[in-house]
Amino acid sequence: MVEIEVWEQAGPTPSEELADNTKIGHGMLTGIPARPAGCRIEVTFAMSETGELTVHAKELETGNDVRFELNIGGADRGTIAEARTDIAGHSVSG
């Protein structure tokens, strides 16, 4: 199985260090056979106008997938446009 984590920048300065960021959600991709390190997992993000972020992760060989939603909207989270811009600027690899 593979745990898919979604992290958010915690401060004004971008950082790849986990300690400098906040984990905002996760999901488990299960039912996949053992794979060597570096195998690809496709992860896509979609955000609604209300600030709900849908995360979809799929293991390409078996087709097994997981989908989960995170509500990242609200007055303390910035605008939807800002969130979309932030998400678009990040890549995810499995």
Side-chain angles (χ1 to χ4, degrees):
M1 79 178 93
V2 174
E3 182 174 16
I4 307 298
E5 297 180 339
V6 179
W7 289 74
E8 177 178 68
Q9 182 177 310
T13 306
S15 173
E16 292 184 16
E17 298 297 320
L18 293 181
D20 297 335
N21 296 281
T22 303
K23 183 177 173 182
I24 60 171
H26 72 278
M28 297 299 291
L29 178 55
T30 61
I32 56 176
R35 298 275 186 255
C39 286
R40 291 178 36 121
I41 295 174
E42 182 178 90
V43 181
T44 57
F45 298 92
M47 182 173 289
S48 73
E49 292 299 323
T50 62
E52 183 175 84
L53 177 67
T54 299
V55 181
H56 181 225
K58 181 177 182 179
E59 197 277 324
L60 300 177
E61 188 170 319
T62 64
N64 289 0
D65 66 345
V66 64
R67 185 180 311 264
F68 56 97
E69 287 80 30
L70 303 170
N71 188 346
I72 64 170
D76 62 332
R77 296 288 199 166
T79 68
I80 300 299
E82 289 169 339
R84 282 189 175 138
T85 300
D86 186 50
I87 291 167
H90 292 83
S91 63
V92 177
S93 59

